[in-house]
Amino acid sequence: MRGLNRAIIAGNLTRDPEVRQTINKRSIARFGVAVNYRYKDSSGEYKDGVDYVNIVVWGSHAENCGKYLKKGSPVLVEGRIQTTSYDAKDGSGKRYMTEVNAENVIFLSQGQSQQSSSNDFTSQPWPEETDPNFGSSISESGFADNAGPANESDIPF
C-alpha cells in the first residue's frame, strides 16, 4: 500500500530564506515558518502557541523565495514531511532534522498596510469563542440532529 504524506503550512517566515547552490548548480532555499495556534488549557482558558516548521524548497521555486520573501512574510506551503540525519560535527552521534520539502509556496499578500489583519492568522477568533452553540447541532451519531443519514437521492452529484 502506498502511503500519504502531505503537509500544508500557513504562517510567517521566521528568517530570510537562505538560498544556496548544490554541486550540480541546483538552487535550494531554507527558511522557517511560525504557525500560530490557539488551545484551551486544563483550566478552560484559551492560550496562544507557536509551532516553528523548517522548510526546504528546490529549483526555481527556491530562487523565487530568495528573491521575494523576507522575515515576516506570510506564506502557504504545501509539501511532504521528511526526516534526514547527519553525523554531529563534535562526534557525539547522529542528529535528526524534520522539515517540510515544499512543492508549492504561495506568497500571501499583506495588503495595504502591515496592520492589516487579513493574513494575520491569529487575529480571527475561533468559532467557539464567538458562537456558544458552535458544534451543538451535531449529535453523538455524527449526523445533524434529526437529520439521519442522507439518502442517495439527497446527494447532489
Side-chain angles (χ1 to χ4, degrees):
M1 176 178 105
R2 289 181 61 181
L4 176 65
N5 181 353
R6 300 300 308 154
I8 299 173
I9 307 295
N12 298 318
L13 267 66
T14 60
R15 61 185 183 275
D16 291 343
E18 178 184 319
V19 182
R20 295 188 177 182
Q21 300 287 322
T22 65
I23 296 170
N24 299 330
K25 304 293 184 205
R26 189 170 181 209
S27 297
I28 180 174
R30 292 183 184 277
F31 54 90
V33 173
V35 180
N36 299 316
Y37 64 93
R38 182 165 280 184
Y39 66 95
K40 197 182 285 192
D41 68 9
S42 59
S43 67
E45 291 187 40
Y46 285 99
K47 302 283 183 178
D48 293 322
V50 180
D51 285 327
Y52 299 98
V53 181
N54 291 317
I55 309 291
V56 62
V57 186
W58 293 90
S60 62
H61 290 303
E63 294 169 17
N64 287 333
C65 287
K67 205 180 294 183
Y68 298 110
L69 295 178
K70 62 182 183 185
K71 180 178 178 177
S73 297
V75 294
L76 180 96
V77 177
E78 179 186 12
R80 63 182 175 82
I81 298 171
Q82 70 179 20
T83 302
T84 56
S85 65
Y86 60 94
D87 292 321
K89 289 182 181 178
D90 62 4
S92 62
K94 277 198 180 286
R95 299 283 187 258
Y96 296 91
M97 182 172 58
T98 301
E99 57 195 2
V100 172
N101 189 339
E103 295 167 7
N104 292 309
V105 178
I106 299 171
F107 306 159
L108 301 175
S109 170
Q110 288 184 316
Q112 298 285 3
S113 121
Q114 294 285 32
Q115 300 299 323
S116 171
S117 65
S118 63
N119 286 309
D120 181 0
F121 299 106
T122 60
S123 67
Q124 301 299 320
W126 288 80
E128 60 268 22
E129 291 179 51
T130 57
D131 182 2
N133 296 319
F134 177 76
S136 63
S137 64
I138 304 299
S139 68
E140 287 184 22
S141 67
F143 299 108
D145 290 340
N146 302 321
N151 296 324
E152 279 187 19
S153 62
D154 294 336
I155 301 173
F157 50 88

